[in-house]
Amino acid sequence: MSHFSVSFDRLAEAPAGPVRVLELHGELDAHTAPDFEAALDACLAGGDARLVADGSGLEYVSSAGLGVFMAYVEPARSGGGDLKIAALSEKVYEVFDLLGFPTVFDMHATVSEAVEAF
């Protein structure tokens, strides 16, 4: 079974105001995608639309995991924010890049850079 966790209790300050940082750890796949969806739902329901996905602990992402990112970028943007992706390992970044995510998402090398981009 896949192991995955997401914590979203971290707030960072950006020029535009607070940014919710979601720290992803483990394998984001069909079995674990609902955990990521639940975290994103909770953030958006709580009024947090400025979101950064910290992928420094993400070891693997499947098409189901990528689908979660795609499903939540527009709700974040229509809520006045965005869903930025940061700190991916080279191996995981290659998957995002292969599927054209850098043309849709604001992607950064570090969480700090992503936060400052708001």
Side-chain angles (χ1 to χ4, degrees), residues 39-101:
L40 289 164
D41 283 335
C43 290
L44 293 171
D48 293 322
R50 288 186 296 271
L51 307 170
V52 172
D54 174 359
S56 61
L58 194 59
E59 299 167 11
Y60 170 83
V61 63
S62 73
S63 59
L66 294 168
V68 175
F69 283 96
M70 291 302 295
Y72 283 87
V73 68
E74 284 308 317
R77 289 176 179 166
S78 40
D82 198 1
L83 173 56
K84 299 180 187 300
I85 303 170
L88 296 175
S89 70
E90 187 176 332
K91 178 178 97 172
V92 174
Y93 178 83
E94 287 176 6
V95 175
F96 281 82
D97 189 39
L98 180 68
L99 296 173
F101 272 63

Side-chain angles (χ1 to χ4, degrees), residues 13-31:
E13 284 301 321
V19 175
R20 179 71 57 189
V21 178
L22 296 100
E23 297 175 1
L24 310 178
H25 298 278
E27 300 173 0
L28 181 54
D29 60 20
H31 298 290

